[in-house]
């Protein structure tokens, strides 16, 4: 597999072409952004840790029958993935209140729910990834009715699988964001799953082991990612 030219650079990752049109390389950077890039910084070794953590989670999900873009871990910062057309939605599951939902509804952080909450945001940096519902998605053709149904069903299933996966490591999955892509006529899980995209609280102590340490300057950011990595690879 030969690495070729860069085709896309995002806030935390770069995508490179390969000599095979159906595969691309996802390169993980140490750059971190929060509050829609209003806050920028670097988390040392983050790219290496997120590549490993994502690899473990994708392998776990695939072993449980979830189709993902993951092909293989190539090197410290590189993962081989299937080239998908990203559905322009961020799909969020919330098991407890945190972050933007606390601000939206005036809820205390950590507030429990009767059922998990699924949210869709339109992936558009210039608009700050606004919250949208299924009518917006259909009206603007961000995804078809069938795609939305599949995405919702997979996301709830992934939530159950990931809550169990993390709870065995004494981590509580508070919320997370997924992205999906179109590949050979199917919808598959894409992007990354890491402490950049999940809120993880240590069971018992409630210690935050995710990007909230960067968002809110809580300190020991690298240590938190390292702790998640060590549990995930234990
Ligand atoms: N999230 C993400 N990327 C985004 C927005 C959110 O990965 O662009 C994740 C975030 O890490 C959290 C969940 O989605 O695990 C819910 O995020 P929230 O809307 O609370 O975001 P905040 O406003 O706190 O950044």
């Amino acid at each position: 597999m030969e690495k070729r030219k860069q085709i896309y650079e995002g806030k935390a990752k770069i995508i490179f072409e390969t000599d095979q049109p159906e595969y691309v390389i996802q390169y993980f950077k140490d750059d971190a952004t929060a509050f829609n890039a209003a806050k920028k910084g670097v988390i040392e070794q983050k790219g290496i840790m997120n590549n490993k953590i994502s690899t473990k989670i994708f392998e776990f999900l695939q072993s449980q029958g979830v189709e993902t873009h993951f092909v293989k871990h190539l090197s410290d910062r590189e993962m081989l993935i299937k080239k998908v057309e990203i559905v322009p939605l961020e799909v969020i599951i919330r098991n407890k209140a945190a972050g933007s939902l606390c601000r939206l509804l005036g809820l205390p952080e950590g507030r429990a729910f009767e059922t998990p909450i699924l949210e869709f945001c339109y992936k558009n940096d210039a608009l700050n990834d606004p919250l949208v519902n299924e009518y917006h998605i259909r009206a603007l053709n961000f995804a078809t009715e069938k795609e939305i149904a599949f995405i919702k069903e997979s996301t709830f299933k992934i939530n159950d699988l990931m809550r169990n996966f993390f709870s065995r490591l004494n981590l509580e999955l508070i919320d997370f964001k997924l992205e999906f892509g179109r590949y050979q006529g199917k919808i598959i899980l894409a992007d990354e799953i890491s402490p950049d995209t999940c809120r993880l609280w240590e069971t018992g102590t409630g210690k935050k082991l995710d990007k909230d340490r960067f968002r809110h300057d809580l300190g020991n950011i690298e240590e938190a990612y390292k702790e998640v990595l060590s549990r995930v690879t234990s």
Side-chain angles (χ1 to χ4, degrees):
M1 184 72 52
E2 192 188 310
K3 186 170 165 185
R4 296 206 173 151
K5 72 173 197 296
Q6 177 176 323
I7 49 178
Y8 173 81
E9 176 158 13
K11 286 172 277 188
K13 296 185 296 292
I14 305 174
I15 303 292
F16 295 91
E17 267 178 8
T18 69
D19 51 4
Q20 285 174 252
E22 68 270 37
Y23 295 121
V24 292
I25 290 170
Q26 171 159 262
Y27 176 98
F28 289 76
K29 303 192 282 184
D30 289 345
D31 297 347
T33 58
F35 311 114
N36 244 78
K39 182 179 171 116
K40 289 195 174 99
V42 164
I43 302 175
E44 294 296 335
Q45 311 283 306
K46 173 170 80 77
I48 299 173
M49 298 191 278
N50 281 357
N51 188 22
K52 291 203 178 108
I53 295 167
S54 265
T55 293
K56 280 286 173 192
I57 299 173
F58 282 139
E59 284 173 346
F60 165 71
L61 291 173
Q62 290 194 159
S63 78
Q64 302 298 308
V66 176
E67 281 205 65
T68 83
H69 71 162
F70 175 79
V71 180
K72 79 185 221 241
H73 186 271
L74 290 177
S75 67
D76 267 1
R77 293 177 181 277
E78 294 171 329
M79 174 190 283
L80 185 66
I81 58 174
K82 291 171 178 159
K83 183 177 186 178
V84 301
E85 180 201 339
I86 289 287
V87 175
L89 297 171
E90 302 204 331
V91 188
I92 293 171
I93 285 269
R94 302 179 183 276
N95 294 307
K96 280 190 176 171
S100 68
L101 188 72
C102 293
R103 299 191 288 274
L104 183 73
L105 298 179
L107 301 174
E109 187 179 59
R111 152 79 197 258
F113 306 134
E114 294 297 325
T115 61
I117 295 171
L118 184 146
E119 291 174 357
F120 292 110
C121 295
Y122 172 42
K123 242 175 98 66
N124 184 314
D125 286 337
L127 299 174
N128 282 323
D129 299 339
L131 198 58
V132 290
N133 67 30
E134 292 179 40
Y135 292 94
H136 299 106
I137 297 171
R138 279 308 304 125
L140 297 166
N141 204 28
F142 297 149
T144 67
E145 195 98 51
K146 248 177 94 179
E147 287 174 335
I148 302 168
F150 180 82
I151 287 172
K152 286 197 296 182
E153 193 192 318
S154 318
T155 301
F156 282 117
K157 177 173 156 195
I158 292 166
N159 184 40
D160 290 339
L161 291 167
M162 291 209 331
R163 274 170 91 169
N164 274 317
F165 175 88
F166 284 118
S167 105
R168 280 185 256 119
L169 307 173
N170 286 315
L171 294 170
E172 187 181 4
L173 180 61
I174 301 302
D175 60 27
F176 61 95
K177 183 263 303 179
L178 300 178
E179 294 183 27
F180 290 86
R182 303 183 178 100
Y183 181 78
Q184 298 181 347
K186 279 191 296 193
I187 293 282
I188 64 178
L189 183 61
D191 196 51
E192 68 172 289
I193 302 179
S194 71
D196 272 13
T197 65
C198 299
R199 283 193 173 90
L200 296 164
W201 295 358
E202 185 175 55
T203 310
T205 67
K207 185 175 175 197
K208 292 175 176 161
L209 294 172
D210 56 58
K211 201 163 93 174
D212 268 351
R213 302 204 76 81
F214 169 79
R215 289 189 187 94
H216 304 297
D217 299 312
L218 303 178
N220 299 314
I221 307 173
E222 285 84 4
E223 289 75 7
Y225 280 68
K226 211 184 252 179
E227 181 61 39
V228 173
L229 172 63
S230 105
R231 293 188 193 204
V232 162
T233 53
S234 65

